[in-house]
Amino acid sequence: MAQQQLIAARIPEGMSFYLQGSSEVSHSIPGALGVVFDTKHAKQMVATKADCVEVYDGSGKTMLVSVPEPNVVLTALSNTGAYLVTCSKPVKDAAGNPGKNLKIWALTGPSAGTMVLGLPQKQVNKEQWPVAHFSDGDSALTHCVVNTVHVYSSEDGFAAYRKLTIKGVTAVAMCPSPGSTLLAAFIPEAKGAPAAAGIFDWATAGKALVRKSFFRTSGAQLMWNAPGTALLVLAFTDFDVTNQSYYGEQKLHFLPADPNKFELASTVDLKEGPVHDVQWSPTGSHFAVVAGFIPSKTLLFDSDCKPIYDFGSGPHNTVRFSPFGRFMFVAGFGNLPGDIIFYDKKTSGMMRQMGAIRSPAVTAEWSPDGRSVLTALVAPRLRVDNAFKTFSYFGQEASAAPFACLFEAKWVPTPPGIHTDRPQSPERLAAVAAGAVGTVKGAPIPGSGAKSGYVPPHLRGAGGAAGSDGSSRPQFSLAFDPNDAVGKIKAAGLGFAAPGGIRAATAKKQGVPGFESIAPEKAASKNAKKRANAKKKEGDGGEGASADTASVSATTEQAAALSVSDAAAAASTPSDDRAKRARNVQKKLRQVAELREKLAAAGGVVTAEQQAKLDSEAGLVAELAALGGSA
């Protein structure tokens, strides 16, 4: 019989544990302000309290170690669970020097519960945590200082360290591959130099094996895939220079770990707008990204950053893979409606939708067995209707537990080997094939053409795009994009940023209000005429200038010829153009009159340009008469 899964819920009284499907408390940890789980081995969990930090077994029933460290704000476990990292607010010692608020504690052996290393950490925030990174087997520990990364060894009890010099480094991430000595580092912008992310070998302390530079970045999140063959860098800045977002600007960059594939280092081609979420598959063979202004677009890429599937657009900002990478869901939480769409990844590269549901929530995650999803509506995001719910892998609600105040809800990890990867159940597939069950009611399906949103009266006729029921719908909606091409991507690139890509095709198809498009051949003809005129002027200048009198007479003859030809062509000019032409001629005549008055009052010598303008008066009068106007 499979092990029954636990749900941990943090409430004001502490941490309570519930068996899946039950609303009764199984056991609890009173006074717990937060819990960190051992997600890799599920052997222990860390509960932070006001005056200490307690380490429990994987189920949270038996306390193993108590660490007498008060006022801890952040905790983390090493990869093997042999060490605990705690961090409190920065303090100064009696001499005024920075205190050692970042501490490493042993959890195994005779020294369990004792501190093995203390370091000063000036800045403490949840976004950059953890700041002390262990290698896969806990043999090495890295910590950033000014322009340097210190690498400690567990063999000597973290007594000494080697230096890896990286100028300006502010964040690092160790490669998760067993035995690897690779390290990813981020360097923000400084003194006009661009920001950069690179992959280094901390064992050799050499130059970057792969490096990519980019501007408009103040921070970054470094994300390795499970095999350690590729790195994603989610770069962000708090200020958006384009003034399109209050929440800054984000860009996603891809770096291969193999120096022989350095040409793959690139900025991921995404829809314009913020990057809402990015997740590696647990296998590391592909990753999914939700990006762009709402309706955002969700895309699936392989481990070489090639797009392989387009999920379409919708009100989404979250994507999650199941623990085995078989299932995934795309959802929209926070201030979005709460749509959750479930997919099954096929070996052919297709993503088959299994169901959809609408369940407003703040957080959501897959169960350890990959067969259920837990959603939670928590405080302080919302102070009412706090609860957690569980759904099947295709979106059918299984259970719910309401709370007066709920801060957090998570699945308790289970040890490796307890659960196995399973496809959709045969009963479910047979029922779907027979038509006995359909898509779970709820969220609109991307690319399905489902009607969504209010349709103004003036678009209910032929003005809007047709919906699934034959009615019309507006061209703009937060729930869909009429230009979506949902399905497997066969082209080499998406073309979001290319001049002739998807954006250009969309603009050409829909048209931009107030913009008069010019055919390419017409634009080319205009450019050719401009170049010819420019060459002609250069040629005239090279032969030398004529005398002023000859120039004046030539100008006068040209003006008269133009006036005669314009007068002859006026009869065939449309009425709107005739009126516009007449106004232009009247304006020129007024300028001539003003010039004559100015010369009469001031006296002096008349220049050649002024004389040419005075001589053109007769031609302008004739042109105006032909247009049917009067001076």
Side-chain angles (χ1 to χ4, degrees):
M1 182 178 177
Q3 177 179 340
Q4 197 166 6
Q5 299 173 114
L6 282 172
I7 298 173
R10 183 164 63 91
I11 56 178
E13 294 76 18
M15 186 69 65
S16 299
F17 296 87
Y18 299 80
L19 292 173
Q20 181 181 0
S22 173
S23 59
E24 298 295 329
V25 177
S26 172
H27 56 282
S28 62
I29 303 178
L33 304 176
V35 171
V36 173
F37 298 104
D38 178 8
T39 57
K40 192 170 185 180
H41 304 96
K43 295 186 299 184
Q44 52 198 353
M45 66 176 68
V46 179
T48 304
K49 295 187 176 182
D51 56 348
C52 66
V53 178
E54 297 175 345
V55 181
Y56 291 79
D57 64 353
S59 64
K61 294 181 179 180
T62 305
M63 188 177 71
L64 304 177
V65 180
S66 179
V67 176
E69 180 72 5
N71 303 321
V72 172
V73 293
L74 294 169
T75 58
L77 283 167
S78 66
N79 291 317
T80 64
Y83 299 98
L84 169 67
V85 184
T86 65
C87 188
S88 56
K89 293 182 179 180
V91 295
K92 292 185 178 182
D93 57 19
N97 299 319
K100 297 180 178 180
N101 57 324
L102 178 66
K103 299 179 181 180
I104 314 298
W105 308 80
L107 298 181
T108 58
S111 59
T114 60
M115 187 181 71
V116 295
L117 180 64
L119 300 168
Q121 182 67 30
K122 293 183 179 180
Q123 296 182 351
V124 181
N125 58 71
K126 191 175 181 180
E127 288 73 21
Q128 296 180 351
W129 184 257
V131 293
H133 300 265
F134 285 89
S135 60
D136 180 71
D138 289 354
S139 60
L141 168 70
T142 60
H143 179 245
C144 280
V145 295
V146 179
N147 297 328
T148 309
V149 178
H150 289 174
V151 184
Y152 296 83
S153 175
S154 60
E155 295 180 357
D156 60 0
F158 307 101
Y161 58 83
R162 67 175 70 183
K163 293 183 179 182
L164 174 61
T165 302
I166 306 175
K167 187 176 181 180
V169 61
T170 58
V172 297
M174 300 284 279
C175 178
S177 178
S180 175
T181 57
L182 297 181
L183 174 146
F186 169 72
I187 303 98
E189 295 182 53
K191 298 180 180 179
I199 298 177
F200 300 80
D201 189 339
W202 58 262
T204 60
K207 295 183 178 180
L209 304 177
V210 181
R211 182 185 175 99
K212 178 168 175 51
S213 301
F214 34 84
F215 285 97
R216 286 155 59 177
T217 300
S218 59
Q221 183 181 356
L222 306 173
M223 296 170 283
W224 286 95
N225 66 344
T229 58
L231 175 75
L232 289 175
V233 181
L234 179 57
F236 56 85
T237 179
D238 296 331
F239 178 72
D240 184 7
V241 296
T242 63
N243 291 327
Q244 293 181 311
S245 173
Y246 289 108
Y247 307 102
E249 185 179 3
Q250 302 88 32
K251 293 292 182 182
L252 185 64
H253 308 280
F254 175 85
L255 277 76
D258 187 356
N260 297 322
K261 296 182 178 180
F262 70 93
E263 69 278 359
L264 295 179
S266 60
T267 300
V268 183
D269 189 13
L270 301 172
K271 181 181 178 181
E272 182 183 7
V275 179
H276 302 284
D277 196 12
V278 55
Q279 290 285 320
W280 277 107
S281 165
T283 61
S285 59
H286 46 274
F287 65 92
V289 186
V290 183
F293 295 110
I294 301 296
S296 57
K297 180 175 282 292
T298 306
L299 298 168
L300 186 70
F301 295 80
D302 64 11
S303 57
D304 288 333
C305 200
K306 295 179 181 177
I308 57 178
Y309 195 86
D310 186 346
F311 293 88
S313 300
H316 306 138
N317 59 6
T318 305
V319 60
R320 294 288 185 272
F321 286 96
S322 66
F324 299 99
R326 176 181 293 274
F327 304 141
M328 66 173 289
F329 68 75
V330 180
F333 297 135
N335 57 354
L336 296 177
D339 299 345
I340 310 175
I341 306 175
F342 300 86
Y343 293 92
D344 182 6
K345 187 177 185 302
K346 302 299 182 181
T347 55
S348 62
M350 294 294 293
M351 302 294 293
R352 186 182 297 271
Q353 182 175 325
M354 300 182 293
I357 193 70
R358 175 163 289 179
S359 177
V362 177
T363 63
E365 61 180 45
W366 285 95
S367 62
D369 65 353
R371 312 296 289 182
S372 303
V373 171
L374 172 69
T375 66
L377 199 59
V378 299
R381 174 75 189 189
L382 285 175
R383 296 288 185 178
V384 296
D385 298 330
N386 286 179
F388 69 71
K389 298 180 180 180
T390 60
F391 299 87
S392 67
Y393 62 88
F394 52 84
Q396 185 175 17
E397 184 174 340
S399 65
F403 292 84
C405 182
L406 177 65
F407 294 123
E408 186 179 16
K410 292 183 177 181
W411 291 103
V412 176
T414 56
I418 296 294
H419 306 292
T420 57
D421 184 18
R422 292 187 294 156
Q424 296 187 59
S425 63
E427 294 81 6
R428 166 73 182 176
L429 293 175
V432 172
V437 296
T439 300
V440 178
K441 66 178 181 178
I445 304 170
S448 65
K451 183 178 178 182
S452 177
Y454 169 73
V455 181
H458 68 283
L459 291 178
R460 292 173 187 170
S468 58
D469 58 354
S471 62
S472 62
R473 67 184 184 187
Q475 287 293 325
F476 172 76
S477 172
L478 295 178
F480 66 88
D481 187 338
N483 300 288
D484 275 342
V486 179
K488 195 173 180 180
I489 299 174
K490 299 180 181 179
L494 294 170
F496 285 113
I502 292 178
R503 290 179 186 166
T506 302
K508 183 177 180 181
K509 180 179 179 181
Q510 293 184 340
V512 180
F515 176 75
E516 182 181 357
S517 60
I518 301 176
E521 58 273 10
K522 187 174 181 180
S525 176
K526 285 188 174 182
N527 292 334
K529 290 180 180 179
K530 289 181 180 179
R531 288 193 293 269
N533 292 334
K535 289 183 179 180
K536 184 177 180 181
K537 290 180 179 179
E538 291 177 0
D540 294 342
E543 294 175 359
S546 302
D548 288 343
T549 55
S551 176
V552 170
S553 60
T555 304
T556 305
E557 291 176 1
Q558 290 176 4
L562 287 173
S563 300
V564 173
S565 62
D566 290 343
S572 61
T573 304
S575 59
D576 292 344
D577 291 344
R578 290 168 62 91
K580 184 177 180 180
R581 191 73 174 270
R583 289 194 297 270
N584 290 335
V585 174
Q586 290 172 345
K587 181 179 179 181
K588 292 179 181 179
L589 286 172
R590 287 196 299 271
Q591 292 174 348
V592 171
E594 291 174 358
L595 177 60
R596 182 177 289 106
E597 294 176 359
K598 182 179 179 180
L599 293 174
V605 181
V606 181
T607 63
E609 291 80 1
Q610 292 172 339
Q611 186 62 45
K613 193 168 187 178
L614 294 173
D615 294 340
S616 65
E617 183 178 13
L620 293 173
V621 172
E623 182 181 356
L624 182 60
L627 292 170
S630 60

